[in-house]
Amino acid sequence: QVQLVESGGGLVQAGGSLRLSCLASGDTFTNYALGWFRQAPGKEREFLAYISWTGTQEYYRNSVKGRFTIFRDDAKNSVYLQMNSLKPEDTGVYYCAAARFQYRVDNNYRESDFHSWGQGTQVTVSS
């Protein structure tokens, strides 16, 4: 299994941008599809974005589509989440997750689809 470590969280004003990073180690990175999830205070963890192991397919939650971009750099064993036009409701702990060759035809990605998780990084968006 791959091990994941997120970084890049912080405090930002509404309308601002942040880029989250997730560094993987311990297995062949290019065998893994990656996802980003978020857990807001008092809420369940929710799916945000997915990228396939080839990097050719992406999928986003509707509420972040057009504002967030997931991308990977296989040379650096890293996946990123570029977040623009941030809103206070984007506040939460952000997690990256990985699963070998994971793909859903219905794009309805869930926590149970991913088997490796990072520890999370806090993002706070002030109004």
Side-chain angles (χ1 to χ4, degrees):
Q1 293 286 0
V2 68
Q3 289 80 51
L4 304 170
V5 178
E6 302 97 336
S7 61
L11 174 64
V12 63
Q13 288 189 333
S17 298
L18 276 177
R19 177 178 292 183
L20 305 183
S21 302
C22 177
L23 176 64
S25 62
D27 201 351
T28 304
F29 185 66
T30 51
N31 288 345
Y32 286 83
L34 289 305
W36 284 95
F37 287 73
R38 172 177 70 202
Q39 187 164 22
K43 295 187 177 181
E44 295 186 351
R45 193 154 53 182
E46 63 184 8
F47 165 80
L48 296 177
Y50 162 93
I51 188 166
S52 63
W53 58 97
T54 60
T56 57
Q57 296 188 345
E58 301 170 20
Y59 184 74
Y60 298 91
R61 184 182 192 85
N62 283 341
S63 63
V64 305
K65 199 176 298 183
R67 298 190 298 123
F68 291 9
T69 303
I70 186 172
F71 60 100
R72 61 190 296 160
D73 185 339
D74 291 342
K76 296 183 178 180
N77 281 4
S78 293
V79 61
Y80 305 90
L81 187 68
Q82 177 66 41
M83 305 186 294
N84 299 328
S85 302
L86 283 162
K87 304 175 182 180
E89 52 263 43
D90 293 319
T91 293
V93 180
Y94 283 67
Y95 299 88
C96 67
R100 287 173 59 89
F101 303 118
Q102 176 61 256
Y103 176 71
R104 294 183 65 95
V105 176
D106 62 2
N107 288 318
N108 185 20
Y109 292 100
R110 307 161 189 170
E111 289 187 61
S112 57
D113 291 322
F114 296 87
H115 311 299
S116 298
W117 291 83
Q119 82 289 350
T121 186
Q122 176 71 44
V123 173
T124 303
V125 184
S126 63
S127 57

